[in-house]
Amino acid sequence: MANPIEGLPEILDGAYTFALQHIDLAGCSYGKPHWPGPYIDGPQPYYYFLAGLVALSRSSRVLELGTHFGGAIFSIARAMASRGGGAASPEIVTVDFRTRNAEAFGAYPQVTRLVGNCLDPAVAARVGQAFSGPVDVMFVDVTHEYEQTRRCLDIYVPLVTPALVILDDIRLNPSMARLWADLSIAYGDRARDITESARREETVGFGLLVPERSAPTPSLR
Ligand SMILES: C[S@@+](CC[C@H](N)C(=O)[O-])C[C@H]1O[C@@H](n2cnc3c(N)ncnc32)[C@H](O)[C@@H]1O
């Protein structure tokens, strides 16, 4: 990604529809839900948004914290593959302390799956080594709670210097709502609620941070 800001509003607005029309996400399933309900055998609407964002921004380095069944990271891998090899070699890394859906990962050799607690310095070091340069998109989707998500930002924003950070579930509970309020103050107009563009439910929300690569990571406390 050459310039993280250039054309960003148009990319955010068009990402979902672009992916729906041009990227096949069949088989990119969410899997077992974290809420009461049956197995989700298909992509979540926000997978299309993430895939479109990656394709339209020509991202080639993506980090996901929180793999679950791999649905989101498989969607991102499909987005990169959909460009017909015109982009730089993909570097796609996902981290989870659980290993679900192991068989499906066999179809995505371009995805590096790291198993461990992403807050563990040894795991963070492996993540850092997996990338040859700054990350384009970092998707933070671990336990949806203030401290854990904040620590992910504290560790990984300076480590992989992402152009864009996506946060899931910014309104899921009071703890996440408080975090998003604090991030909105710390990041100013570089924090943006993208719930609507991402087709995420209003009750849970989706957020975007655009860190300043030349500035220190905003501290929340
Ligand atoms: C909401 S799910 C991720 C969903 C996935 N990103 C998607 O969109 O399909 C959250 C995942 O984060 C993992 N997780 C939570 N805290 C973690 C941590 N500290 N380190 C690694 N994984 C963690 C959980 O095991 C769970 O699989």
Side-chain angles (χ1 to χ4, degrees):
M1 188 186 294
N3 179 342
I5 307 292
E6 196 183 348
L8 186 58
E10 292 75 22
I11 289 174
L12 296 173
D13 284 350
Y16 174 84
T17 307
F18 177 86
L20 208 57
Q21 292 172 348
H22 301 289
I23 304 171
D24 178 11
L25 298 189
C28 298
S29 300
Y30 187 86
K32 192 172 182 300
H34 288 86
W35 52 93
Y39 183 95
I40 300 171
D41 193 12
Q44 293 285 69
Y46 71 85
Y47 290 2
Y48 285 96
F49 171 78
L50 291 172
L53 173 68
V54 162
L56 292 176
S57 64
R58 304 198 67 75
S59 294
S60 58
R61 296 191 192 107
V62 173
L63 170 62
E64 177 189 53
L65 303 178
T67 313
H68 192 45
F69 275 60
I73 206 70
F74 296 160
S75 304
I76 284 164
R78 292 268 185 95
M80 289 192 199
S82 75
R83 296 199 303 266
S89 315
E91 293 176 12
I92 311 170
V93 178
T94 185
V95 185
D96 204 304
F97 44 43
R98 298 198 177 93
T99 49
R100 298 187 188 91
N101 207 14
E103 255 179 47
F105 277 83
Y108 296 88
Q110 70 275 46
V111 175
T112 300
R113 174 186 224 187
L114 298 180
V115 180
N117 184 341
C118 65
L119 304 177
D120 176 347
V123 172
R126 287 170 66 204
V127 170
Q129 286 159 8
F131 291 105
S132 65
V135 158
D136 298 312
V137 177
M138 175 165 100
F139 179 41
V140 181
D141 195 14
V142 291
T143 302
H144 298 299
E145 173 273 325
Y146 191 114
E147 275 309 314
Q148 179 148 174
T149 307
R150 182 189 66 83
R151 286 175 65 198
C152 287
L153 295 174
D154 287 351
I155 295 168
Y156 288 96
V157 170
L159 180 69
V160 301
T161 57
L164 305 175
V165 177
I166 307 284
L167 297 172
D168 190 21
D169 285 344
I170 58 172
R171 285 197 279 279
L172 181 70
N173 52 44
S175 177
M176 287 299 287
R178 188 165 58 85
L179 174 68
W180 183 247
D182 286 354
L183 287 169
S184 300
I185 292 168
Y187 279 77
D189 61 5
R190 289 175 168 265
R192 183 167 166 174
D193 187 323
I194 54 166
T195 305
E196 198 179 333
S197 304
R199 307 304 197 271
R200 200 73 175 106
E201 295 94 324
E202 279 296 322
T203 47
V204 300
F206 224 51
L208 169 74
L209 302 174
V210 185
E212 274 188 275
R213 278 177 165 160
S214 55
T217 307
S219 84
L220 299 187
R221 288 180 187 169

